[in-house]
Amino acid sequence: MDVPADPRASWALPPPGTMDPVVDLEPLVTRVLAPNPSSMTLDGTNTYVVGAPGSGQAVLVDPGPDDPAHLAAVERVLAGRDARCVAVLVTHHHGDHAEAALPWGERFGAQVAAASAVVAGPRGRVLEAGDRLGLAGTTIGVVPTPGHTGDHLAFRVESGAVLVGDHVLGRGTSVVTHPEGDVVAYLESLRRVLDLGPSALYCGHGPELTENPAAVLEYYLAHRAYREHQLLAGLANGPRTVAELVAAIYAEVPRALWPAATQSTRATLAKLHAEGRVEWWGTDEDDPDRVRLA
Ligand SMILES: [Zn+2]
């Protein structure tokens, strides 16, 4: 199996660390970059301000870290749109997306909505698959995208663009967390977004993907299949520990990313185990360390 080629390699995307902090992506959507860059968050978390121009209202998607400079930047965008925040939507429970949801919801007097009741808070709204939210002069579709986490949602705006959170990143690939994440669900979620025929992917981290969103989703599917192939090939000559598999498969990847790579590897092994293709022994079944072909 050949290494899948990332179609973005030939796109004119901004190099890491050079993203504009505030960009009007389309009349409905402005992106505000939070000041929390890291190896896992890339340039930082992208907060999206969504609303029909002239509606006087806007929705925040993934407020991100509860950071005063980030709040000030978001408030400047709201003022520039002459809009007040009427709802805070959250793609998933990770702190780099959800931390500011409750405090900012309180500050703006806006309801928080998410798939997780914990994220939505006591006065929030728990979102369900297929919900269509009439907010800020537009309609936002709720698209379940479990995989990265169990509670992950994407949001489709009327232009056809999809705000994908950490389901798809502007650069590189995403992590299927373990034990919460689920590779089978993740693959189904990629196909679900692909079936929507998105006009653009607005990612939780990294640049917006507008040139050929379907090609990126297909690359993500191929990348997952390739990781499975690598794991099975890595076990062809006998049992391995998870650490040995990660060291072999992610040799080219900075070590700072190996803990995340280990989670994705465990999640993929859980899928292969459920399919009867690998087995483990000698340790906790839910958190295997030694693996062999079944
Ligand atoms: Zn994130």
Side-chain angles (χ1 to χ4, degrees), residues 36 40-41 44-46 62 91-92 94-97 148 152 165-166 169 174 204-205:
N36 62 336
M40 291 302 294
T41 61
T45 299
N46 293 321
D62 281 356
T91 58
H92 65 298
H94 286 164
D96 57 321
H97 301 258
H148 172 72
H152 201 287
D166 283 359
L169 302 183
S174 188
H205 307 281

Side-chain angles (χ1 to χ4, degrees), residues 66-81:
D66 187 11
D67 175 283
H70 187 46
L71 174 61
V74 167
E75 290 188 323
R76 277 193 299 275
V77 169
L78 289 168
R81 287 172 162 257

Side-chain angles (χ1 to χ4, degrees), residues 242-275:
V242 173
E244 287 167 347
L245 290 167
V246 170
I249 292 171
Y250 293 88
E252 310 294 317
V253 170
R255 291 213 167 212
L257 295 173
W258 281 18
T262 301
Q263 289 201 35
S264 271
T265 298
R266 288 188 185 281
T268 304
L269 288 169
K271 172 180 182 285
L272 293 172
H273 180 259
E275 293 169 349

